[in-house]
């Protein structure tokens, strides 16, 4: 008798809980929701389970404060970590170095717990700083590089496509494009590789409007925070579930993800957003696109920004520049 896929999501906050909701709605597998707050993941899982008779999914939904229930997961999504916070007394925000160290300890501890119980799982990093936390998960899990991947490019690309559709008044379904690089203001949208129903974007929009879309894409997360007062979660959760679905259903979708490069694009030992084929084995292939000189230069700026953050980690000094 075949078993259902098992998906663990660590972190039952807005992103994690919404990802659990959509994973269940898509019938992707049994879901285990983990969080350190007593009663929180249990309540979220129970509430979601009680929607099953209405929504029509038959899955096992578990909430827990421990990790034993996560054993033998096929995919594990890690959203754990803390955001940058402003000190109420000094008014200063947590420094980048402090944030990396705080989240390294959290993500590292979670990863060790998960890896010991699900040694064959594919790990998806959603925690920030995304690219640095991918390195933490890779080093702490000791998994092969294809089974550790970061969710960033799918989200950045979704925002990019949304803004293009809005500017042109067309369906998002007909927009094809991709955003590469690190997750932040150095991400690399590729307008010369973007088309609408096969028509190049550069034929449909003037450069100033394309530049405005790129700027808005790079600040997409900040725009949501400015409106809500906290980070968005529908689009990040949807992007995460797209990756989960491609893995558990072995769909071989080509998605922009943070993958550990081993010579691709001229980089070594560095997690960077690139086009990946996602299947049952995780990152089954990295596709190398032909980039123009301007695009290569932007990717190097992005890679440099990632290297600077990764260098803070105790095992991040190996990230090498382009050869």
């Amino acid at each position: 008798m075949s078993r259902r896929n098992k998906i663990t999501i660590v972190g039952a906050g807005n992103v994690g809980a919404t990802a659990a909701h959509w994973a269940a709605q898509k019938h992707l597998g049994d879901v285990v929701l983990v969080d350190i707050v007593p009663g929180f993941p249990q309540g979220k899982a129970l509430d979601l389970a009680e929607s099953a008779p209405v929504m029509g999914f038959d899955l096992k939904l578990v909430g827990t404060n421990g990790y034993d229930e996560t054993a033998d997961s096929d995919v594990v999504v890690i959203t754990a970590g803390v955001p940058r916070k402003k000190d109420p007394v000094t008014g200063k925000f947590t420094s980048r170095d402090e944030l990396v160290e705080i989240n390294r300890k959290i993500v590292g501890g979670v990863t060790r717990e998960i890896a010991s119980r699900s040694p064959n799982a594919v790990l998806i990093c959603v925690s920030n700083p995304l690219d640095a936390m991918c390195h933490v998960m890779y080093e702490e899990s000791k998994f092969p590089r294809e089974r550790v991947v970061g969710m960033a490019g799918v989200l950045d690309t979704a925002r990019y496509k949304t803004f293009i559709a809005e500017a042109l008044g067309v369906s998002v379904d007909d927009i094809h494009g991709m955003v590469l690089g690190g997750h932040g203001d150095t991400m690399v949208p590729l307008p010369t590789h973007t088309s609408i129903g096969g028509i190049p974007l550069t034929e449909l929009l003037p450069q100033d409007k394309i530049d405005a879309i790129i700027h808005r894409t790079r600040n997409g997360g900040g725009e949501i925070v400015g409106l809500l007062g906290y980070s968005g979660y529908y689009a990040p959760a949807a992007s995460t579930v797209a990756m989960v679905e491609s893995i558990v259903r072995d769909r071989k979708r080509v998605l922009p993800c943070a993958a550990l490069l081993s010579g691709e694009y001229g980089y070594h030992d560095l997690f960077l957003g690139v086009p990946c084929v996602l299947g049952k084995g995780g990152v089954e292939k990295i596709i190398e696109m032909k980039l123009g000189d301007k695009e290569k230069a932007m990717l190097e700026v992005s890679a440099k920004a990632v290297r600077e953050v990764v260098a803070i980690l105790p095992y991040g000094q190996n990230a090498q520049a382009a050869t």
Side-chain angles (χ1 to χ4, degrees), residues 149-233:
V149 60
M151 190 293 293
V154 181
L155 170 61
D156 298 332
T157 298
R159 287 171 171 160
Y160 178 57
K161 290 180 177 180
T162 298
F163 303 149
I164 292 172
E166 183 182 277
L168 291 172
V170 301
S171 170
V172 291
D173 281 350
D174 295 321
I175 298 172
H176 302 280
M178 197 167 286
V179 177
L180 307 185
H183 186 50
D185 55 12
T186 62
M187 66 181 70
V188 186
L190 300 173
T192 59
H193 292 270
T194 303
S195 64
I196 297 84
I199 305 166
L201 174 64
T202 51
E203 292 184 16
L204 299 176
L205 283 177
Q207 190 59 48
D208 63 327
K209 291 194 174 181
I210 293 175
D211 290 342
I213 288 171
I214 290 174
H215 177 75
R216 190 180 181 192
T217 300
R218 287 172 170 164
N219 293 278
E223 183 176 358
I224 296 291
V225 172
L227 293 167
L228 293 177
Y230 50 86
S231 298
Y233 51 95

Side-chain angles (χ1 to χ4, degrees), residues 100 103-105 107-109 111-112 132-142 269 310-319:
V100 170
N103 282 350
R104 178 186 72 81
K105 292 177 180 177
V107 173
T111 301
R112 290 190 295 274
M133 293 305 107
C134 285
H135 279 273
V136 173
M137 287 169 57
Y138 174 68
E139 295 289 346
E140 297 290 352
S141 68
K142 310 301 181 186
D269 304 313
V310 172
I312 299 170
L313 301 171
Y315 28 66
Q317 287 78 16
N318 295 325

Side-chain angles (χ1 to χ4, degrees), residues 114-146:
I114 289 296
S116 67
R117 292 169 174 83
S118 299
N120 298 312
V122 177
L123 306 182
I124 299 177
C125 180
V126 183
S127 304
N128 282 315
L130 187 282
D131 309 285
M133 293 305 107
C134 285
H135 279 273
V136 173
M137 287 169 57
Y138 174 68
E139 295 289 346
E140 297 290 352
S141 68
K142 310 301 181 186
F143 283 6
R145 69 168 183 149
E146 61 268 18

Side-chain angles (χ1 to χ4, degrees), residues 6-312:
K6 187 172 183 179
I7 301 157
T8 286
I9 300 172
V10 183
N14 284 340
V15 174
T18 305
H21 173 193
W22 280 338
Q25 195 167 13
K26 284 176 169 284
H27 301 262
L28 297 185
D30 295 335
V31 178
V32 180
L33 199 54
V34 182
D35 202 282
I36 62 172
V37 180
F40 191 59
Q42 292 89 344
K44 292 286 183 79
L46 179 58
D47 190 19
L48 184 55
E50 290 170 351
S51 75
V54 181
M55 302 307 296
F57 54 80
D58 290 300
L59 302 168
K60 184 178 181 182
L61 295 152
V62 175
T64 178
N65 301 120
Y67 291 91
D68 288 345
E69 293 89 341
T70 71
D72 300 319
S73 293
D74 296 287
V75 177
V76 178
V77 176
I78 297 179
T79 73
V82 299
R84 290 187 70 192
K85 296 179 180 178
K86 185 165 65 173
D87 188 297
V89 177
T90 66
K92 293 182 179 180
F93 281 93
T94 309
S95 73
R96 182 186 66 175
D97 290 17
E98 290 171 333
L99 183 65
V100 170
E101 181 59 19
I102 292 168
N103 282 350
R104 178 186 72 81
K105 292 177 180 177
I106 295 171
V107 173
V110 169
T111 301
R112 290 190 295 274
E113 295 281 3
I114 289 296
S116 67
R117 292 169 174 83
S118 299
N120 298 312
V122 177
L123 306 182
I124 299 177
C125 180
V126 183
S127 304
N128 282 315
L130 187 282
D131 309 285
M133 293 305 107
C134 285
H135 279 273
V136 173
M137 287 169 57
Y138 174 68
E139 295 289 346
E140 297 290 352
S141 68
K142 310 301 181 186
F143 283 6
R145 69 168 183 149
E146 61 268 18
R147 289 200 284 118
V148 179
V149 60
M151 190 293 293
V154 181
L155 170 61
D156 298 332
T157 298
R159 287 171 171 160
Y160 178 57
K161 290 180 177 180
T162 298
F163 303 149
I164 292 172
E166 183 182 277
L168 291 172
V170 301
S171 170
V172 291
D173 281 350
D174 295 321
I175 298 172
H176 302 280
M178 197 167 286
V179 177
L180 307 185
H183 186 50
D185 55 12
T186 62
M187 66 181 70
V188 186
L190 300 173
T192 59
H193 292 270
T194 303
S195 64
I196 297 84
I199 305 166
L201 174 64
T202 51
E203 292 184 16
L204 299 176
L205 283 177
Q207 190 59 48
D208 63 327
K209 291 194 174 181
I210 293 175
D211 290 342
I213 288 171
I214 290 174
H215 177 75
R216 190 180 181 192
T217 300
R218 287 172 170 164
N219 293 278
E223 183 176 358
I224 296 291
V225 172
L227 293 167
L228 293 177
Y230 50 86
S231 298
Y233 51 95
Y234 291 119
S239 301
T240 302
V241 171
M243 293 172 64
V244 172
E245 181 180 21
S246 191
I247 293 166
V248 299
R249 291 187 173 161
D250 200 26
R251 291 193 63 190
K252 317 288 188 187
R253 289 197 63 194
V254 179
L255 298 170
C257 307
L260 185 63
L261 302 184
S262 183
E264 298 89 354
Y265 294 90
Y267 296 95
H268 296 268
D269 304 313
L270 187 71
F271 275 91
L272 198 63
V274 292
C276 299
V277 177
L278 289 188
K280 202 74 173 178
V283 178
E284 298 188 348
K285 183 179 180 181
I286 293 174
I287 297 174
E288 292 197 66
M289 302 171 65
K290 291 184 178 179
L291 303 178
D293 291 341
K294 183 178 179 181
E295 294 165 334
K296 288 180 181 177
M298 287 193 296
L299 190 62
E300 171 55 23
V301 169
S302 191
K304 181 181 179 182
V306 172
R307 283 197 300 267
E308 288 175 353
V309 179
V310 172
I312 299 170

